[in-house]
Amino acid sequence: MNDWYLALSQIKRNPLRSSLMASGIVIAAAVMTAVALLIVGVNEGITNTVNRLGADIMVVPRGEEVAKQFNEALITGKPATFYLDPSAAEKVSKVPGVDHTSNQTFVETLTNARCCAGKFFIVAFDPVTDFTIKPWLKSKVPQSISQTENWMIVGDRILLRQGNEAQFYGTSFTVAGVLEPTGTGMDWTIYMSEKSLRKMVIASQAKAEMPLRIRQGDVSTILVKAETGVDLIDLAERIEQAAPEIQVVLSSTVAKLARQQLFAIASVLVCVVAGLWVMALIMSGVIFSMAVRERRSQIGLLIAKGANKRFIFKMLTKESIAIAATSSLSGCLVGLLIVISFRELLSNALGTPDVLPTAATTALFVAAFNVLGTATAVITAIMPVISVLKAEPYESIKQGRLT
Amino acid sequence: MISAIDITKNYTGKDGTIAALGGVSFKVAKGDFVAVIGRSGTGKSTLLGVIGGLLKPSSGEILLDGQSIWNLDEQLRAQIRAQKIGFVFQNASVISSLTVLENVILPQSFLPKPTRSNMPRAKNLLESVGLAHRTHAYPDQLSGGEKRRVAIASALMNAPALLLADEPTGDLDSETELEIMDFFAGLWKSGTTIIMVTHNQQLSNYGNRIFKMDDGIMTESSGQTPTENSLS
Ligand SMILES: Nc1ncnc2c1ncn2[C@@H]1O[C@H](COP(=O)(O)OP(=O)(O)OP(=O)(O)O)[C@@H](O)[C@H]1O
Ligand SMILES: [Mg+2]
């Protein structure tokens, strides 16, 4: 009968106390894991976006609000609507150092299509000049479809597949291709050709309840591929000088802006989680030390039977380890399970392409939090118990009730 | 076997300092059966605690087989308790999370070289105290007297040379009391040294010596002080 046996017998014989002690840790560890995974997952989404933008420089109308909208659209696929005069595109393409450009026009749409309800982000692009969308196509678009009048290409998380149809503003579109999952806003975006958009705009005047108002030739962003070896900062400056009504967005600024937002939210969340964790630790620590104090006579009895204080200390430590380790492990797993099962919902709510980091990162986080949770819980449980060990055992035996 | 040299024990609490033991000296030889009698609050339990190495005296020395137990370090003292001393407490404590049988076997775990669980011995002991049929019960399923008998069996598990018993038959009926006392008498015969605290004048006759406690002062009941009378 070793210290483990005694420790576990205590847990087994006091199920209510043990589960009370565990419950706080389970909840706190679950929340902690979920929040950490969310933050890391969102951050990974930002990194993916930046790595997968394809364009060296993006040009949008001047204004802070535009920059913010654009960022969100890139990372989360949240619809953005702002427009540039067609002359701007002309000017940008002529700036020295620009290899070629491709324009995109953004449309926000409400759909009542069977597949999906809600707001969707439609991007109209020029299939000839495009260099950012087509590389992500899962498979080649079949001839038959590409020749259909109104085709669209959809992001991986839009619930439409090749050949499906959906109506926007009274016009029907057929899915010509699906993009690879990118972990960016592209996953939630619907792409169509510039030509189709124009037709849709015209048709919407007659068919749609809320007609689209986009002037002929308006574009939302100009994607720039720089000539090789050109300094991007210099090029950005030249572009901004050439057309004063526009601003330049570099992929690095996309990340910076998005991270600023993320970190603002994350710091609040981290504080909340830390507070929750401290509360859980205090709760379980108090319960544990109360339980040990109540058991002083039992501890005195063990000492009378020949246990030394080291044995008692080890026994109590192991009791708290057993509770803390199982509860923090199950808490971490619950947190993981929450994120997995509400993955889609959370991505939508947080407006991010995905909330779950890669499997390896996820496993690392769960393991790390499990160790961290166990260690801190054991320390807070054991600290107040040390004073019990200092008391004279005989006193506690005499104070003990008849058990 | 035991020499107590001028033991004092003061409790310092809210109502000042209480001198529970006011200079107690005695010798107990191997094979003695000592009954300690005295009124409530005179320091009998305190004395047992000091002898057993559980309660540090304010001054004085306890020699157990020539070793001054309060000059040893905590671990060695724990070892002596495990090997040489069996305790039966006044309040009949048992470990509530362990079964009857586990309670009896428990002290084995504290021997310096833990042997394999001596199940037959534990079962024998339970039989001697009349609890063979309750081996797998938990203490909260036992009566007060049954718990006391478990405590006695547990105290004897490591075959201690010295048994310190504080009112071991406190809440037992007279029949069970008799059985336990006969059991103690058997132990005594087989060489165990026993120091037993009791209120019961009759029970004190089981021993070969009677110490009387009176407000922290102890006398051997023959009228002489125990030291002069001891068989060292
Ligand atoms: N922890 C303590 N703090 C203060 N005083 C104490 C403490 N323990 C015992 N005493 C006091 O010391 C004296 C002796 O106590 P002790 O328990 O040794 O008496 P006892 O002879 O065993 O009594 P009883 O027959 O009722 O068990 C009592 O007056 C008691 O109030
Ligand atoms: Mg007493």
Side-chain angles (χ1 to χ4, degrees):
Chain A
M1 215 177 295
N2 53 17
D3 41 8
W4 269 118
Y5 190 92
L6 278 161
L8 294 179
S9 80
Q10 281 296 342
I11 295 171
K12 222 170 49 194
R13 294 291 292 167
N14 298 285
L16 183 70
R17 195 202 78 212
S18 311
S19 44
L20 213 64
M21 199 183 147
S23 62
I25 299 176
V26 171
I27 295 169
V31 173
M32 182 162 82
T33 309
V35 164
L37 290 179
L38 289 183
I39 293 173
V40 176
V42 171
N43 192 39
E44 267 185 17
I46 295 170
T47 310
N48 287 345
T49 305
V50 173
N51 292 340
R52 291 163 191 181
L53 278 174
D56 297 320
I57 285 174
M58 291 153 287
V59 176
V60 292
R62 192 169 273 287
E64 248 178 67
E65 189 48 37
V66 168
K68 218 181 118 217
Q69 268 195 46
F70 185 51
N71 252 292
E72 275 185 23
L74 289 176
I75 293 165
T76 74
K78 189 179 166 208
T81 47
F82 46 76
Y83 302 99
L84 267 175
D85 202 70
S87 64
E90 194 76 9
K91 284 184 226 165
V92 170
S93 63
K94 286 187 182 139
V95 173
V98 172
D99 189 62
H100 60 276
T101 62
S102 180
N103 303 337
Q104 293 186 348
T105 311
F106 299 162
V107 185
E108 177 181 351
T109 177
L110 279 163
T111 177
N112 49 2
R114 240 172 304 140
C115 69
C116 23
K119 279 183 179 175
F120 279 90
F121 186 36
I122 296 181
V123 172
F125 69 104
D126 179 358
V128 180
T129 58
D130 168 65
F131 58 96
T132 62
I133 299 160
K134 281 184 290 184
W136 291 104
L137 269 173
K138 267 182 185 158
S139 54
K140 272 196 77 177
V141 176
Q143 277 298 118
S144 59
I145 296 181
S146 69
Q147 259 139 35
T148 53
E149 279 271 287
N150 295 321
W151 54 259
M152 59 177 164
I153 290 171
V154 297
D156 179 62
R157 307 192 75 166
I158 301 273
L159 294 173
L160 286 171
R161 287 297 171 260
Q162 212 160 52
N164 289 167
E165 271 184 41
Q167 268 202 358
F168 306 115
Y169 295 95
T171 308
S172 221
F173 290 85
T174 310
V175 177
V178 180
L179 299 182
E180 295 276 3
T182 58
T184 76
M186 288 178 89
D187 295 353
W188 300 96
T189 305
I190 294 169
Y191 297 91
M192 62 175 63
S193 75
E194 194 73 33
K195 264 189 240 155
S196 306
L197 174 68
R198 289 302 150 207
K199 273 193 252 166
M200 187 170 84
V201 170
I202 293 162
S204 80
Q205 314 294 338
K207 293 187 206 165
E209 284 169 29
M210 288 186 20
L212 275 168
R213 298 187 198 288
I214 302 171
R215 281 184 302 151
Q216 175 71 33
D218 267 2
V219 299
S220 298
T221 179
I222 306 156
L223 304 176
V224 176
K225 184 89 204 157
E227 285 169 0
T228 39
V230 169
D231 184 278
L232 291 180
I233 308 276
D234 286 350
L235 181 58
E237 261 175 33
R238 283 202 296 278
I239 293 173
E240 282 194 336
Q241 273 161 12
E245 72 271 29
I246 57 107
Q247 63 182 327
V248 159
V249 177
L250 291 160
S251 51
S252 54
T253 37
V254 171
K256 214 173 122 195
L257 255 169
R259 290 217 164 92
Q260 263 169 15
Q261 265 181 305
L262 171 67
F263 289 147
I265 303 167
S267 55
V268 175
L269 281 177
V270 167
C271 287
V272 170
V273 167
L276 191 67
W277 186 244
V278 168
M279 266 165 55
L281 288 184
I282 290 173
M283 187 181 114
S284 73
V286 165
I287 294 171
F288 192 72
S289 71
M290 265 165 44
V292 169
R293 257 156 234 285
E294 206 174 86
R295 253 160 53 201
R296 264 181 308 186
S297 69
Q298 300 266 296
I299 290 167
L301 187 62
L302 288 173
I303 290 175
K305 291 191 182 303
N308 56 38
K309 297 201 170 175
R310 232 182 83 220
F311 179 94
I312 304 292
F313 182 76
K314 281 197 300 193
M315 179 189 78
L316 293 175
T317 307
K318 284 172 182 178
E319 185 175 338
S320 72
I321 286 175
I323 296 177
T326 37
S327 55
S328 93
L329 177 66
S330 38
C332 288
L333 293 178
V334 167
L336 175 63
L337 218 68
I338 289 173
V339 176
I340 289 174
S341 39
F342 297 105
R343 194 174 177 183
E344 206 114 316
L345 205 79
L346 285 167
S347 329
N348 287 339
L350 293 175
T352 139
D354 203 348
V355 285
L356 200 64
T358 56
T361 314
T362 304
L364 194 75
F365 262 85
V366 170
F369 277 147
N370 187 25
V371 172
L372 183 83
T374 307
T376 51
V378 168
I379 290 167
T380 40
I382 281 301
M383 295 285 270
V385 162
I386 292 173
S387 69
V388 172
L389 287 181
K390 290 198 182 123
E392 270 189 296
Y394 201 57
E395 305 279 305
S396 35
I397 297 172
K398 289 211 301 181
Q399 281 157 20
R401 291 155 303 153
L402 236 82
T403 41
Chain B
M1 177 165 200
I2 307 167
S3 309
I5 305 159
D6 202 19
I7 304 286
T8 68
K9 176 68 191 178
N10 301 320
Y11 291 111
T12 320
K14 286 188 198 96
D15 11 292
T17 303
I18 297 169
L21 295 178
V24 172
S25 301
F26 61 86
K27 280 189 172 145
V28 172
K30 192 167 160 37
D32 271 353
F33 188 159
V34 179
V36 181
I37 54 170
R39 294 190 51 195
S40 177
T42 49
K44 306 182 297 293
S45 297
T46 303
L47 180 66
L48 278 200
V50 173
I51 297 171
L54 286 173
L55 190 61
K56 193 171 169 55
S58 305
S59 70
E61 225 179 335
I62 296 281
L63 301 177
L64 184 63
D65 294 332
Q67 243 175 347
S68 173
I69 56 169
W70 284 103
N71 287 334
L72 298 172
D73 72 12
E74 191 261 333
Q75 290 207 26
L76 284 174
R77 202 161 43 245
Q79 241 173 60
I80 288 179
R81 281 196 298 270
Q83 284 175 286
K84 294 189 179 172
I85 303 173
F87 259 108
V88 180
F89 293 102
Q90 190 165 11
N91 56 14
S93 297
V94 289
I95 304 293
S96 56
S97 66
L98 299 180
T99 64
V100 166
L101 187 61
E102 286 168 343
N103 259 289
V104 176
I105 293 177
L106 176 67
Q108 271 209 323
S109 336
F110 306 127
L111 290 174
K113 276 197 197 109
T115 42
R116 283 193 54 227
S117 288
N118 195 342
M119 203 62 86
R121 175 170 172 81
K123 287 189 170 153
N124 260 340
L125 282 167
L126 277 174
E127 203 152 326
S128 337
V129 297
L131 278 176
H133 58 298
R134 301 303 307 271
T135 48
H136 297 297
Y138 281 95
D140 53 12
Q141 301 159 335
L142 299 180
S143 73
E146 285 170 330
K147 270 184 255 185
R148 187 172 290 276
R149 284 182 276 159
V150 175
I152 292 170
S154 176
L156 295 172
M157 184 63 200
N158 289 346
L162 174 64
L163 180 66
L164 301 174
D166 200 343
E167 310 217 22
T169 59
D171 40 16
L172 298 179
D173 60 284
S174 54
E175 211 168 312
T176 318
E177 183 172 67
L178 232 102
E179 279 172 34
I180 295 291
M181 287 315 297
D182 285 343
F183 182 56
F184 275 21
L187 282 174
W188 178 35
K189 252 183 220 137
S190 61
T192 308
T193 308
I194 299 173
I195 299 178
M196 180 183 77
V197 171
T198 180
H199 278 131
N200 191 327
Q201 203 65 47
Q202 268 183 320
L203 296 188
S204 64
N205 295 329
Y206 271 86
N208 63 334
R209 299 173 67 190
I210 298 174
F211 291 179
K212 193 165 184 324
M213 273 299 253
D214 202 353
D215 269 342
I217 306 292
M218 201 164 73
T219 46
E220 188 146 10
S221 78
S222 53
Q224 305 157 291
T225 59
T227 332
E228 295 160 22
N229 191 41
S230 58
L231 318 148
S232 46

